[in-house]
Amino acid sequence: MNTGAQGPHRQAELRRFRTACFEAARRTGARVDSLDLPGVVRSFEAASITSPTGSVVTLHHTDRPIVAFTGTPPVAGRPVSDFMDSPPYADVFKAYGFQVLTPAVLNTPVVALDLTELTPIEPTDLRYWRPDVLGDVLFNWWD
């Protein structure tokens, strides 16, 4: 699911995600504690945004303009869990052109998904890794 592309489009997408993170923090009086960009094989970047009410990790898919939120920082090699409803700043990501996914969508079983538009490598990944839900397909550590 991660093409590893690092061309101009990919760099622009990373800048847009970073900008949206800092704008979301600014608008809500929060701060970006960490901006965890790719360095290991995975399909997402993560940014921890902390406000007086707590920390939320914003996940951004590396190949698609998709974001999701979790209360638990990702642990290398483990499925991302604890998807949560959108925090108050989620509209900032929508304004920057990102699709915000809900826990209900992310917890959709893979067997219930329409997989007709997969790239040629993705069916192989799904057979090998056997993800349970859409969140596992989108936010993973697959090589």
mmCIF file of all heavy atoms in Angstrom, residues 44 56-59 67-72 74 79-86 101-108 133-140:
data_model
loop_
_atom_site.group_PDB
_atom_site.id
_atom_site.type_symbol
_atom_site.label_atom_id
_atom_site.label_comp_id
_atom_site.label_asym_id
_atom_site.label_seq_id
_atom_site.Cartn_x
_atom_site.Cartn_y
_atom_site.Cartn_z
ATOM 1 N N PHE A 44 2.104 5.554 6.558
ATOM 2 C CA PHE A 44 1.547 6.781 7.133
ATOM 3 C C PHE A 44 2.602 7.618 7.845
ATOM 4 O O PHE A 44 3.671 7.141 8.197
ATOM 5 C CB PHE A 44 0.422 6.439 8.113
ATOM 6 C CG PHE A 44 0.891 5.637 9.311
ATOM 7 C CD1 PHE A 44 1.253 6.263 10.490
ATOM 8 C CD2 PHE A 44 0.962 4.258 9.246
ATOM 9 C CE1 PHE A 44 1.689 5.524 11.581
ATOM 10 C CE2 PHE A 44 1.396 3.502 10.333
ATOM 11 C CZ PHE A 44 1.752 4.136 11.503
ATOM 12 N N VAL A 56 -3.825 13.974 20.836
ATOM 13 C CA VAL A 56 -4.447 13.207 19.769
ATOM 14 C C VAL A 56 -3.377 12.999 18.704
ATOM 15 O O VAL A 56 -2.662 13.931 18.344
ATOM 16 C CB VAL A 56 -5.657 13.950 19.163
ATOM 17 C CG1 VAL A 56 -6.202 13.210 17.955
ATOM 18 C CG2 VAL A 56 -6.742 14.154 20.202
ATOM 19 N N VAL A 57 -3.264 11.783 18.215
ATOM 20 C CA VAL A 57 -2.331 11.497 17.139
ATOM 21 C C VAL A 57 -3.115 11.552 15.833
ATOM 22 O O VAL A 57 -4.124 10.876 15.675
ATOM 23 C CB VAL A 57 -1.662 10.119 17.319
ATOM 24 C CG1 VAL A 57 -0.737 9.810 16.145
ATOM 25 C CG2 VAL A 57 -0.892 10.078 18.632
ATOM 26 N N THR A 58 -2.633 12.394 14.922
ATOM 27 C CA THR A 58 -3.237 12.509 13.604
ATOM 28 C C THR A 58 -2.414 11.663 12.647
ATOM 29 O O THR A 58 -1.200 11.829 12.549
ATOM 30 C CB THR A 58 -3.255 13.971 13.131
ATOM 31 O OG1 THR A 58 -3.965 14.753 14.095
ATOM 32 C CG2 THR A 58 -3.935 14.110 11.776
ATOM 33 N N LEU A 59 -3.072 10.745 11.961
ATOM 34 C CA LEU A 59 -2.416 9.862 11.004
ATOM 35 C C LEU A 59 -2.732 10.333 9.597
ATOM 36 O O LEU A 59 -3.882 10.675 9.301
ATOM 37 C CB LEU A 59 -2.918 8.431 11.172
ATOM 38 C CG LEU A 59 -2.796 7.828 12.561
ATOM 39 C CD1 LEU A 59 -3.509 6.485 12.617
ATOM 40 C CD2 LEU A 59 -1.344 7.694 12.956
ATOM 41 N N VAL A 67 -6.843 11.297 6.419
ATOM 42 C CA VAL A 67 -6.367 11.394 7.798
ATOM 43 C C VAL A 67 -7.342 10.676 8.725
ATOM 44 O O VAL A 67 -8.527 10.515 8.409
ATOM 45 C CB VAL A 67 -6.164 12.851 8.283
ATOM 46 C CG1 VAL A 67 -5.068 13.553 7.501
ATOM 47 C CG2 VAL A 67 -7.452 13.632 8.244
ATOM 48 N N ALA A 68 -6.806 10.233 9.847
ATOM 49 C CA ALA A 68 -7.594 9.602 10.894
ATOM 50 C C ALA A 68 -6.965 9.995 12.229
ATOM 51 O O ALA A 68 -5.833 10.495 12.266
ATOM 52 C CB ALA A 68 -7.589 8.084 10.726
ATOM 53 N N PHE A 69 -7.679 9.750 13.297
ATOM 54 C CA PHE A 69 -7.222 10.177 14.614
ATOM 55 C C PHE A 69 -7.241 9.001 15.584
ATOM 56 O O PHE A 69 -8.126 8.152 15.540
ATOM 57 C CB PHE A 69 -8.120 11.302 15.134
ATOM 58 C CG PHE A 69 -8.214 12.451 14.171
ATOM 59 C CD1 PHE A 69 -9.283 12.553 13.301
ATOM 60 C CD2 PHE A 69 -7.208 13.402 14.111
ATOM 61 C CE1 PHE A 69 -9.366 13.606 12.389
ATOM 62 C CE2 PHE A 69 -7.276 14.454 13.199
ATOM 63 C CZ PHE A 69 -8.360 14.556 12.340
ATOM 64 N N THR A 70 -6.237 8.978 16.461
ATOM 65 C CA THR A 70 -6.140 7.937 17.476
ATOM 66 C C THR A 70 -5.617 8.556 18.772
ATOM 67 O O THR A 70 -4.896 9.550 18.743
ATOM 68 C CB THR A 70 -5.221 6.783 17.013
ATOM 69 O OG1 THR A 70 -5.136 5.816 18.054
ATOM 70 C CG2 THR A 70 -3.847 7.242 16.639
ATOM 71 N N GLY A 71 -5.989 7.951 19.869
ATOM 72 C CA GLY A 71 -5.512 8.425 21.155
ATOM 73 C C GLY A 71 -4.247 7.721 21.603
ATOM 74 O O GLY A 71 -3.655 8.073 22.618
ATOM 75 N N THR A 72 -3.818 6.739 20.840
ATOM 76 C CA THR A 72 -2.646 5.941 21.198
ATOM 77 C C THR A 72 -1.564 6.088 20.138
ATOM 78 O O THR A 72 -1.821 5.825 18.965
ATOM 79 C CB THR A 72 -3.044 4.447 21.297
ATOM 80 O OG1 THR A 72 -4.150 4.327 22.190
ATOM 81 C CG2 THR A 72 -1.885 3.611 21.788
ATOM 82 N N PRO A 74 1.231 5.241 17.556
ATOM 83 C CA PRO A 74 1.534 3.980 16.869
ATOM 84 C C PRO A 74 2.812 3.341 17.412
ATOM 85 O O PRO A 74 3.751 4.033 17.791
ATOM 86 C CB PRO A 74 1.737 4.398 15.413
ATOM 87 C CG PRO A 74 1.116 5.738 15.295
ATOM 88 C CD PRO A 74 1.196 6.375 16.644
ATOM 89 N N PRO A 79 -0.566 -3.215 14.666
ATOM 90 C CA PRO A 79 -1.673 -2.488 14.029
ATOM 91 C C PRO A 79 -2.005 -1.221 14.813
ATOM 92 O O PRO A 79 -1.908 -1.198 16.043
ATOM 93 C CB PRO A 79 -2.840 -3.479 14.105
ATOM 94 C CG PRO A 79 -2.216 -4.822 14.276
ATOM 95 C CD PRO A 79 -0.941 -4.582 15.036
ATOM 96 N N VAL A 80 -2.370 -0.187 14.097
ATOM 97 C CA VAL A 80 -2.804 1.049 14.746
ATOM 98 C C VAL A 80 -4.174 0.768 15.360
ATOM 99 O O VAL A 80 -5.014 0.113 14.752
ATOM 100 C CB VAL A 80 -2.885 2.206 13.728
ATOM 101 C CG1 VAL A 80 -3.444 3.444 14.378
ATOM 102 C CG2 VAL A 80 -1.506 2.473 13.133
ATOM 103 N N SER A 81 -4.373 1.237 16.575
ATOM 104 C CA SER A 81 -5.639 0.977 17.251
ATOM 105 C C SER A 81 -6.186 2.251 17.868
ATOM 106 O O SER A 81 -5.590 3.311 17.732
ATOM 107 C CB SER A 81 -5.439 -0.091 18.334
ATOM 108 O OG SER A 81 -4.511 0.382 19.289
ATOM 109 N N ASP A 82 -7.279 2.104 18.547
ATOM 110 C CA ASP A 82 -7.866 3.211 19.298
ATOM 111 C C ASP A 82 -8.254 4.385 18.399
ATOM 112 O O ASP A 82 -8.044 5.539 18.750
ATOM 113 C CB ASP A 82 -6.892 3.657 20.403
ATOM 114 C CG ASP A 82 -7.519 4.557 21.440
ATOM 115 O OD1 ASP A 82 -8.740 4.485 21.623
ATOM 116 O OD2 ASP A 82 -6.773 5.350 22.061
ATOM 117 N N PHE A 83 -8.788 4.076 17.199
ATOM 118 C CA PHE A 83 -9.261 5.165 16.343
ATOM 119 C C PHE A 83 -10.355 5.911 17.093
ATOM 120 O O PHE A 83 -11.157 5.313 17.811
ATOM 121 C CB PHE A 83 -9.803 4.621 15.017
ATOM 122 C CG PHE A 83 -8.727 4.087 14.123
ATOM 123 C CD1 PHE A 83 -8.626 2.731 13.880
ATOM 124 C CD2 PHE A 83 -7.802 4.942 13.534
ATOM 125 C CE1 PHE A 83 -7.638 2.230 13.048
ATOM 126 C CE2 PHE A 83 -6.797 4.454 12.704
ATOM 127 C CZ PHE A 83 -6.719 3.093 12.466
ATOM 128 N N MET A 84 -10.373 7.210 16.926
ATOM 129 C CA MET A 84 -11.322 8.030 17.674
ATOM 130 C C MET A 84 -12.065 8.989 16.761
ATOM 131 O O MET A 84 -11.645 9.241 15.635
ATOM 132 C CB MET A 84 -10.599 8.780 18.786
ATOM 133 C CG MET A 84 -9.454 9.643 18.308
ATOM 134 S SD MET A 84 -8.448 10.307 19.647
ATOM 135 C CE MET A 84 -9.540 11.512 20.348
ATOM 136 N N ASP A 85 -13.165 9.518 17.294
ATOM 137 C CA ASP A 85 -13.923 10.521 16.557
ATOM 138 C C ASP A 85 -13.054 11.745 16.327
ATOM 139 O O ASP A 85 -12.081 11.995 17.045
ATOM 140 C CB ASP A 85 -15.185 10.907 17.327
ATOM 141 C CG ASP A 85 -16.216 9.788 17.337
ATOM 142 O OD1 ASP A 85 -16.302 9.039 16.343
ATOM 143 O OD2 ASP A 85 -16.931 9.669 18.348
ATOM 144 N N SER A 86 -13.438 12.531 15.358
ATOM 145 C CA SER A 86 -12.658 13.705 14.970
ATOM 146 C C SER A 86 -12.568 14.719 16.107
ATOM 147 O O SER A 86 -13.575 15.042 16.739
ATOM 148 C CB SER A 86 -13.308 14.378 13.765
ATOM 149 O OG SER A 86 -13.354 13.487 12.685
ATOM 150 N N LEU A 101 -11.460 10.253 8.100
ATOM 151 C CA LEU A 101 -12.154 8.984 8.273
ATOM 152 C C LEU A 101 -12.594 8.794 9.723
ATOM 153 O O LEU A 101 -11.859 9.125 10.654
ATOM 154 C CB LEU A 101 -11.258 7.820 7.848
ATOM 155 C CG LEU A 101 -10.815 7.828 6.388
ATOM 156 C CD1 LEU A 101 -9.976 6.597 6.083
ATOM 157 C CD2 LEU A 101 -12.015 7.899 5.451
ATOM 158 N N THR A 102 -13.772 8.241 9.895
ATOM 159 C CA THR A 102 -14.331 7.993 11.226
ATOM 160 C C THR A 102 -13.950 6.597 11.709
ATOM 161 O O THR A 102 -13.600 5.728 10.900
ATOM 162 C CB THR A 102 -15.866 8.084 11.181
ATOM 163 O OG1 THR A 102 -16.354 7.028 10.350
ATOM 164 C CG2 THR A 102 -16.327 9.442 10.659
ATOM 165 N N PRO A 103 -14.067 6.350 13.010
ATOM 166 C CA PRO A 103 -13.807 5.001 13.514
ATOM 167 C C PRO A 103 -14.723 3.957 12.862
ATOM 168 O O PRO A 103 -14.281 2.833 12.600
ATOM 169 C CB PRO A 103 -14.079 5.109 15.015
ATOM 170 C CG PRO A 103 -13.834 6.540 15.335
ATOM 171 C CD PRO A 103 -14.285 7.296 14.111
ATOM 172 N N ALA A 104 -15.962 4.313 12.591
ATOM 173 C CA ALA A 104 -16.883 3.360 11.964
ATOM 174 C C ALA A 104 -16.357 2.914 10.604
ATOM 175 O O ALA A 104 -16.395 1.729 10.269
ATOM 176 C CB ALA A 104 -18.274 3.971 11.827
ATOM 177 N N VAL A 105 -15.851 3.850 9.818
ATOM 178 C CA VAL A 105 -15.299 3.509 8.501
ATOM 179 C C VAL A 105 -14.013 2.701 8.663
ATOM 180 O O VAL A 105 -13.824 1.682 8.001
ATOM 181 C CB VAL A 105 -15.046 4.784 7.667
ATOM 182 C CG1 VAL A 105 -14.243 4.484 6.419
ATOM 183 C CG2 VAL A 105 -16.367 5.456 7.315
ATOM 184 N N LEU A 106 -13.128 3.135 9.545
ATOM 185 C CA LEU A 106 -11.847 2.459 9.740
ATOM 186 C C LEU A 106 -12.000 1.054 10.299
ATOM 187 O O LEU A 106 -11.154 0.192 10.063
ATOM 188 C CB LEU A 106 -10.956 3.285 10.660
ATOM 189 C CG LEU A 106 -10.488 4.598 10.038
ATOM 190 C CD1 LEU A 106 -10.016 5.564 11.117
ATOM 191 C CD2 LEU A 106 -9.410 4.356 9.010
ATOM 192 N N ASN A 107 -13.074 0.802 11.010
ATOM 193 C CA ASN A 107 -13.311 -0.518 11.583
ATOM 194 C C ASN A 107 -14.190 -1.404 10.699
ATOM 195 O O ASN A 107 -14.641 -2.472 11.133
ATOM 196 C CB ASN A 107 -13.902 -0.386 12.990
ATOM 197 C CG ASN A 107 -12.861 0.143 13.963
ATOM 198 O OD1 ASN A 107 -11.740 -0.342 13.999
ATOM 199 N ND2 ASN A 107 -13.224 1.145 14.727
ATOM 200 N N THR A 108 -14.398 -0.991 9.440
ATOM 201 C CA THR A 108 -15.132 -1.809 8.481
ATOM 202 C C THR A 108 -14.315 -3.063 8.183
ATOM 203 O O THR A 108 -13.140 -2.971 7.816
ATOM 204 C CB THR A 108 -15.377 -1.036 7.171
ATOM 205 O OG1 THR A 108 -16.102 0.152 7.463
ATOM 206 C CG2 THR A 108 -16.135 -1.882 6.164
ATOM 207 N N VAL A 133 -9.477 -5.120 9.274
ATOM 208 C CA VAL A 133 -10.340 -3.961 9.025
ATOM 209 C C VAL A 133 -9.644 -2.962 8.113
ATOM 210 O O VAL A 133 -8.420 -3.016 7.912
ATOM 211 C CB VAL A 133 -10.752 -3.277 10.352
ATOM 212 C CG1 VAL A 133 -11.591 -4.211 11.222
ATOM 213 C CG2 VAL A 133 -9.540 -2.776 11.118
ATOM 214 N N LEU A 134 -10.414 -2.033 7.577
ATOM 215 C CA LEU A 134 -9.875 -1.012 6.681
ATOM 216 C C LEU A 134 -8.727 -0.232 7.330
ATOM 217 O O LEU A 134 -7.741 0.081 6.667
ATOM 218 C CB LEU A 134 -10.984 -0.046 6.250
ATOM 219 C CG LEU A 134 -10.544 1.107 5.361
ATOM 220 C CD1 LEU A 134 -9.933 0.597 4.054
ATOM 221 C CD2 LEU A 134 -11.704 2.047 5.094
ATOM 222 N N GLY A 135 -8.829 0.083 8.609
ATOM 223 C CA GLY A 135 -7.747 0.801 9.292
ATOM 224 C C GLY A 135 -6.416 0.071 9.188
ATOM 225 O O GLY A 135 -5.363 0.686 9.040
ATOM 226 N N ASP A 136 -6.452 -1.264 9.242
ATOM 227 C CA ASP A 136 -5.228 -2.070 9.098
ATOM 228 C C ASP A 136 -4.671 -1.977 7.677
ATOM 229 O O ASP A 136 -3.461 -2.045 7.474
ATOM 230 C CB ASP A 136 -5.498 -3.543 9.411
ATOM 231 C CG ASP A 136 -5.911 -3.799 10.848
ATOM 232 O OD1 ASP A 136 -5.684 -2.931 11.710
ATOM 233 O OD2 ASP A 136 -6.467 -4.882 11.101
ATOM 234 N N VAL A 137 -5.559 -1.862 6.704
ATOM 235 C CA VAL A 137 -5.138 -1.752 5.307
ATOM 236 C C VAL A 137 -4.481 -0.398 5.062
ATOM 237 O O VAL A 137 -3.445 -0.306 4.399
ATOM 238 C CB VAL A 137 -6.341 -1.943 4.351
ATOM 239 C CG1 VAL A 137 -5.936 -1.683 2.902
ATOM 240 C CG2 VAL A 137 -6.921 -3.337 4.499
ATOM 241 N N LEU A 138 -5.060 0.661 5.612
ATOM 242 C CA LEU A 138 -4.566 2.013 5.343
ATOM 243 C C LEU A 138 -3.343 2.398 6.171
ATOM 244 O O LEU A 138 -2.431 3.051 5.663
ATOM 245 C CB LEU A 138 -5.680 3.038 5.592
ATOM 246 C CG LEU A 138 -6.861 2.968 4.652
ATOM 247 C CD1 LEU A 138 -7.954 3.914 5.109
ATOM 248 C CD2 LEU A 138 -6.428 3.273 3.228
ATOM 249 N N PHE A 139 -3.320 2.040 7.432
ATOM 250 C CA PHE A 139 -2.258 2.488 8.343
ATOM 251 C C PHE A 139 -1.506 1.253 8.841
ATOM 252 O O PHE A 139 -1.898 0.618 9.813
ATOM 253 C CB PHE A 139 -2.856 3.292 9.489
ATOM 254 C CG PHE A 139 -3.639 4.481 9.014
ATOM 255 C CD1 PHE A 139 -5.026 4.480 9.046
ATOM 256 C CD2 PHE A 139 -3.000 5.585 8.466
ATOM 257 C CE1 PHE A 139 -5.758 5.562 8.567
ATOM 258 C CE2 PHE A 139 -3.718 6.668 7.992
ATOM 259 C CZ PHE A 139 -5.096 6.658 8.040
ATOM 260 N N ASN A 140 -0.407 0.941 8.145
ATOM 261 C CA ASN A 140 0.296 -0.305 8.441
ATOM 262 C C ASN A 140 1.808 -0.151 8.310
ATOM 263 O O ASN A 140 2.305 0.877 7.876
ATOM 264 C CB ASN A 140 -0.213 -1.412 7.519
ATOM 265 C CG ASN A 140 0.053 -1.087 6.064
ATOM 266 O OD1 ASN A 140 1.196 -1.000 5.635
ATOM 267 N ND2 ASN A 140 -1.015 -0.901 5.287
#
